[in-house]
Structure formats: structure tokens, C-alpha cells
């Protein structure tokens, strides 16, 4: 077996018997490219018709697809922008590239629009963007990530997604329990794990793998699973997921948790083609209800390896009520000048009205707060809500995030980029076009990409420096 750790091969043979050879064969094949549509911005069918790659629907995620033959199409020139990651609609947040099995996780959370959902280990934001779409931009998504170095990617991905009711935090789970208690309708713990399910995608996961690593991960998972559960309201759901095969990090974590917490039970995850039940016999003593959790094996379906368990907290569970309830978000009184600058910009540039009661000032910046927020004191907040823009001397400069959260028809002036000029725009180059001076929403094939500002026939480029492309 090339490249797979020997001890891993031995462990999987002991667990799976002859089936292990099918797994090893699958791990030698190239990984699939998955694409999940941002239903806040476009319907999956429409996107499928309008992108230059062939997309094959996934049974377990209505907005998810496998990208077929992207590489060949790129080579024969059928895909004008190259790979799906290079297409301008990716920069516009119309889709997220995510391996297909990972798309089953947020679906298992049974998110309903308007709920309050907490994603505890959110970076880089695959499942968080999925949850934001399922919420339909109502309620609240709290996307938390403890690792500071991973926050930038999370923020950028959520910004591109254009969701408004999002709070991004950078906290230890323990701290969130202390501050917030049992208040969320849904909590996702996509736990840090040994990553065996990603062996064919990430060489690093193979290189770092060891039995000791599995044991270390299992101990950490046990701790954060306890904490995650304390954040779920009575009657609410907790989804625990990993991208590894090791029973120590999957069935054994769930069994230990359930045996210690009689007011929790496993709920069945709707079965989809290729999903396999988790293994009650991989726990000592066996726990029959583990068949309600699922395993996604790369040799049984079009995706990488995943484990997903859905846990329901009893309605009657006794919990200490949160010290403070969610508050309807209300902006602090806006400085009159800042408010006037925003209103002048909004009148001139936008056709939509944003709820002023939720607009708040942070120095010279304005943000649109989510509909409701948990108490934020004592919590490291990275971003609360949608950045609207900044007051500059004599004018208001809109935020990139605002461009990605509105529709083309929401702007009074747009500039439709073509296949050539969109490349120049994403590189940060100025463009020329006669017309009235002022802010322009720059679009490609109907999708807003960012801002430009026309003065005397030259469109100054406001695509953020950090996102500009070099080719
Ligand atoms: N949910 C993410 C997504 O879909 O894009 C992937 C999350 S990744 C599997 C696990 C995350 O757990 C990492 O971002 C990692 O930084 C974070 N993590 C590591 N140690 C942690 C801890 N002690 N508590 C909470 N999260 C932790």
C-alpha cells in the first residue's frame, strides 16, 4: 500500500476485514471536486445551467454537486476561466467549493429559518456558509473559531457569502459556555480530528497520522463535546462530526457521552444512497442506538470519509437559564454626521432600505447588526453583522461586504463587466466608461463582485487589495 501509514492499514483491516481493501483502493483515486450553491444568491438549477462545467447533483444536499471533468474542460478551452475556484462567480460568492461528504453535515443539523445556530469550530467556513444559506438570512449564525490564524479565511469566506445575520467570534468553547449557557436551537461541533477521511486530499494528514494522535484527538473531543452540549437549549439539536474513521473519535465519543447524559438521545439521520450506519459493535459494550449515526466511506459514495451523529436534548432537561437573554440588536445612537453620510450614500446608490434601527457605529465605520445578538461582553468578537462602510472626509465609502450582500437590482448604477474586463477588475485595474460620476456596483453575469467609483469617465477600482489576483 503506497503512502498510507502501515499502522493505519493494519487498524482498518482489523475493523473492516476484506472491505478494507476497497477503502484502500478508493484512497488511491483522486479526490472529487464538490461545489455547493449559495441559495441566498441563486437557485441551484440556474447556476447549473450557467456555469461552464458539468455538475452532477448530490442526493444528500439539494444545493450540492460534483464538478465533472473540470480539468479536461479547462484543457480543451470549454471553461473560459479555468478551474471553478478561478471563475468570477466564486469571487462573487455564488458557490463554495467543498468536498461532497462535508455537505451532509449541515443538512443533518435540520436548520430552520429564524433559528439561532452556533458553529463552534467554524474555520474556514464550509459548514458555516452552508448553515447561513439554510437559515435564509433570518435568525442568527454564530461562527466561532478558536485558532486566531484561521479567522481571516473564515471572515473572507463568510463575507463572500453575503449573509447578514452572522456573528464571528474567536473564543475557546469553554468561555462561550460561561457567557452564553444553554441558548442555541442548533449547535454544530465539527471537531478537530486525526483526518483519516481526508488522506487522499491532504498529504499532511497522512504524514501527521499516528495512534497517539488519535488518542490525543479523542481526549480533546470528549472535552469539547461536553462543552458543546452545554450550549444547546432543551429540545435543541447538537450535531457532532469528524472527517476520520477511528472509532475512538466517533462511536466511542458518542457512546461515552450518552452513557453520562441520560437527557440526550441519538436521532436518526435520514438515510441517503451510500450512507452507512455507524457501528454499535465498535464500542465496548456495544450500543445499539449508534446505528442512528452515519458513516460516509469514500469507497461507498462520491466523497471523502465522514462521521455524523445527531443528538437531541430532552425538552425537560434541567438547565440553568442563560444569565442574559438574546437582545434584539439596536444600534447605539449614531453620530448625526455619520448617519447623514450613510443616508446620502444610500439615497444616491441603493434602491433598498436597510433597517436603520439595526445600524450601529464603530468609530467611523457603520455596521448592520444581526436581528438579535447574545451578550457580547467578555467575548472576542471578530465581526458582528454586515459592514456597511466607512466615513471618509467628504464622503462615505461602502464596504466590500455590502457589495456582496446586495443584488445587482438593488443598486442604482451598475457596471456589467465582460469576460475581459472582469479579469482586469479582479486584478485591481481601473476601467474606462463614460457616464455619471458616483459609486457603481460592479457585476459579472448578474453577480455583484465589488465597488467602483466613476470620476470623469474613469472607474476607480475598489476591489480589496488583499483579494486582488496577480494573473
Ligand atoms: N467546520 C469547518 C469547515 O467546515 O470549514 C472545519 C473545522 S475543522 C474540521 C476543526 C476546527 O476545530 C479547526 O478550525 C480547528 O482550529 C478547531 N479546533 C482546534 N482545537 C479546538 C478546540 N480545542 N476547541 C474548538 N475548536 C478547536
Amino acid at each position: 500500500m503506497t503512502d498510507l501509514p502501515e499502522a493505519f492499514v493494519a487498524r482498518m483491516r482489523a475493523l473492516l476485514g476484506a472491505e478494507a481493501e476497497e477503502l484502500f483502493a478508493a484512497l488511491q483515486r483522486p479526490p472529487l471536486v464538490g461545489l455547493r450553491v449559495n441559495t441566498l444568491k441563486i437557485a441551484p438549477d440556474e447556476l447549473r445551467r450557467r456555469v461552464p462545467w458539468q455538475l452532477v447533483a448530490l442526493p444528500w444536499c439539494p444545493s450540492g454537486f460534483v464538478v465533472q471533468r473540470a480539468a479536461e474542460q479547462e484543457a480543451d478551452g470549454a471553461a473560459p476561466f479555468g478551474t471553478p475556484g478561478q471563475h468570477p462567480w466564486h469571487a462573487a460568492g455564488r458557490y463554495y467549493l467543498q468536498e461532497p461528504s462535508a455537505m451532509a453535515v449541515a443538512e443533518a443539523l435540520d436548520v430552520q429559518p429564524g433559528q439561532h445556530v452556533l458553529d463552534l469550530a467554524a474555520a474556514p467556513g464550509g459548514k458555516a456558509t452552508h448553515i447561513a444559506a439554510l437559515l435564509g438570512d433570518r435568525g442568527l449564525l454564530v461562527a466561532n473559531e478558536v485558532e486566531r490564524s484561521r479567522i481571516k479565511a473564515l471572515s473572507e469566506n463568510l463575507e463572500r457569502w453575503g449573509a447578514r445575520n452572522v456573528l464571528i467570534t474567536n473564543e475557546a468553547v469553554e468561555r462561550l459556555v460561561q457567557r452564553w449557557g444553554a441558548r442555541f436551537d442548533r449547535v454544530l461541533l465539527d471537531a478537530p480530528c486525526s483526518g483519516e477521511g481526508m488522506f487522499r486530499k491532504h498529504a499532511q494528514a497522512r504524514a501527521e497520522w499516528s495512534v497517539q494522535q488519535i488518542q490525543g484527538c479523542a481526549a480533546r473531543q470528549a472535552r469539547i463535546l461536553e462543552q458543546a452540549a452545554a450550549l444547546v437549549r432543551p429540545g435543541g439539536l447538537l450535531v457532532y462530526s469528524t472527517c476520520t474513521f477511528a472509532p475512538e473519535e466517533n462511536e466511542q465519543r458518542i457512546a461515552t457521552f450518552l452513557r453520562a447524559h441520560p437527557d440526550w438521545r441519538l436521532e436518526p439521520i435520514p438515510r441517503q444512497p451510500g450512507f452507512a450506519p455507524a457501528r454499535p459493535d465498535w464500542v465496548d459494550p456495544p450500543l445499539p442506538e449508534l446505528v442512528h449515526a452515519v458513516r460516509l466511506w469514500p469507497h461507498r459514495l462520491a466523497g471523502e470519509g465522514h462521521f455524523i451523529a445527531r443528538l437531541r436534548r430532552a425538552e425537560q432537561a434541567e438547565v440553568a437559564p442563560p444569565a442574559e437573554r438574546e437582545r434584539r440588536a439596536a444600534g447605539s445612537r449614531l453620530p448625526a454626521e455619520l448617519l447623514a453620510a450613510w443616508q446620502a450614500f444610500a439615497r444616491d446608490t441603493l434602491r433598498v432600505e436597510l433597517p436603520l434601527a439595526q445600524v450601529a457605529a464603530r468609530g467611523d465605520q457603520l455596521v448592520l447588526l444581526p436581528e438579535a445578538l447574545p451578550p457580547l461582553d467578555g467575548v472576542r468578537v471578530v465581526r458582528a453583522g454586515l459592514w456597511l462602510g466607512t466615513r471618509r472626509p467628504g464622503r462615505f465609502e461602502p464596504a466590500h461586504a455590502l457589495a456582496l450582500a446586495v443584488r445587482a437590482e438593488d443598486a442604482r448604477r451598475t457596471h456589467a463587466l465582460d469576460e475581459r474586463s472582469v479579469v482586469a477588475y479582479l486584478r485591481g485595474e481601473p476601467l474606462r466608461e463614460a457616464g455619471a460620476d458616483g459609486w457603481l456596483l460592479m457585476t459579472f453575469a448578474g453577480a455583484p463582485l465589488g465597488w467602483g467609483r466613476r470620476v470623469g469617465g474613469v472607474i476607480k477600482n475598489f476591489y480589496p487589495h488583499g483579494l486582488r489576483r496577480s494573473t
Side-chain angles (χ1 to χ4, degrees), residues 147-348:
E147 286 287 337
R148 191 177 284 240
S149 62
R150 292 169 64 88
I151 287 284
K152 183 168 177 277
L154 175 64
S155 297
E156 285 177 2
N157 285 331
L158 281 167
E159 177 173 274
R160 222 175 38 240
W161 208 242
R164 298 181 184 189
N165 290 320
V166 177
L167 168 67
I168 305 176
T169 57
N170 172 211
E171 271 304 344
V173 179
E174 192 182 5
R175 180 92 189 114
L176 297 182
V177 176
Q178 288 161 2
R179 287 302 295 131
W180 291 345
R183 69 173 64 230
F184 289 94
D185 302 299
R186 302 284 184 265
V187 173
L188 171 61
L189 176 56
D190 188 30
C193 69
S194 58
E196 296 167 338
M198 296 294 144
F199 270 3
R200 68 180 176 186
K201 267 191 88 176
H202 302 307
Q204 201 190 349
R206 295 195 297 275
E208 286 174 2
W209 183 91
S210 69
V211 174
Q212 292 73 12
Q213 185 205 20
I214 290 176
Q215 287 157 354
C217 285
R220 178 165 60 173
Q221 288 150 352
R223 215 171 45 243
I224 31 186
L225 177 54
E226 287 289 328
Q227 295 162 350
L231 287 151
V232 180
R233 68 159 169 81
L237 280 179
L238 168 65
V239 163
Y240 173 87
S241 59
T242 72
C243 58
T244 204
F245 306 121
E248 296 89 327
E249 301 182 56
N250 296 321
E251 284 87 348
Q252 292 174 22
R253 292 286 49 81
I254 299 302
T256 303
F257 176 81
L258 287 173
R259 287 180 169 136
H261 297 278
D263 54 350
W264 285 84
R265 63 187 168 77
L266 261 180
E267 241 184 36
I269 291 175
R271 279 301 135 81
Q272 302 289 348
F275 283 19
R279 295 286 298 262
D281 53 322
W282 286 353
V283 173
D284 186 20
L287 184 72
E289 64 177 301
L290 276 170
V291 293
H292 295 325
V294 293
R295 277 182 170 269
L296 281 62
W297 294 98
H299 58 289
R300 293 193 178 200
L301 48 62
E304 308 306 307
H306 257 284
F307 172 90
I308 313 173
R310 181 201 270 183
L311 298 144
R312 172 85 64 184
R313 189 169 208 177
E315 284 288 358
Q316 317 79 318
E318 281 192 20
V319 297
E324 294 171 56
R325 299 299 317 169
E326 268 87 12
R327 282 190 290 251
R328 283 206 69 76
S332 48
R333 277 185 81 80
L334 292 177
E337 266 178 69
L338 190 47
L339 179 63
W342 161 254
Q343 286 179 317
F345 165 82
R347 251 193 328 270
D348 175 64

Side-chain angles (χ1 to χ4, degrees), residues 36 96 98 125-134 141 157-158 161:
R36 186 167 40 70
Y96 188 95
Q98 182 179 37
K127 281 121 201 158
T129 52
H130 195 171
I131 294 167
L134 294 169
L141 166 65
N157 285 331
L158 281 167
W161 208 242

Side-chain angles (χ1 to χ4, degrees), residues 300-430:
R300 293 193 178 200
L301 48 62
E304 308 306 307
H306 257 284
F307 172 90
I308 313 173
R310 181 201 270 183
L311 298 144
R312 172 85 64 184
R313 189 169 208 177
E315 284 288 358
Q316 317 79 318
E318 281 192 20
V319 297
E324 294 171 56
R325 299 299 317 169
E326 268 87 12
R327 282 190 290 251
R328 283 206 69 76
S332 48
R333 277 185 81 80
L334 292 177
E337 266 178 69
L338 190 47
L339 179 63
W342 161 254
Q343 286 179 317
F345 165 82
R347 251 193 328 270
D348 175 64
T349 314
L350 300 177
R351 289 181 207 280
V352 278
E353 289 208 7
L354 301 178
L356 261 190
Q358 281 167 240
V359 176
R362 302 268 179 276
D364 275 343
Q365 297 188 329
L366 279 187
V367 291
L368 180 69
L369 295 172
E371 289 167 4
L373 280 172
L376 298 182
D377 38 314
V379 174
R380 261 198 306 266
V381 172
V382 176
R383 193 180 281 209
L386 173 70
W387 282 357
L388 298 176
T390 310
R391 182 182 49 171
R392 305 275 183 215
R395 65 185 162 92
F396 184 85
E397 186 176 308
H400 183 60
L402 177 62
L404 292 172
V406 294
R407 299 166 305 166
E409 52 272 34
D410 294 338
R412 291 195 187 278
R413 285 182 302 277
T414 57
H415 175 90
L417 296 155
D418 59 24
E419 285 193 8
R420 189 190 302 235
S421 60
V422 74
V423 176
Y425 179 71
L426 294 175
R427 281 201 211 115
E429 295 170 16

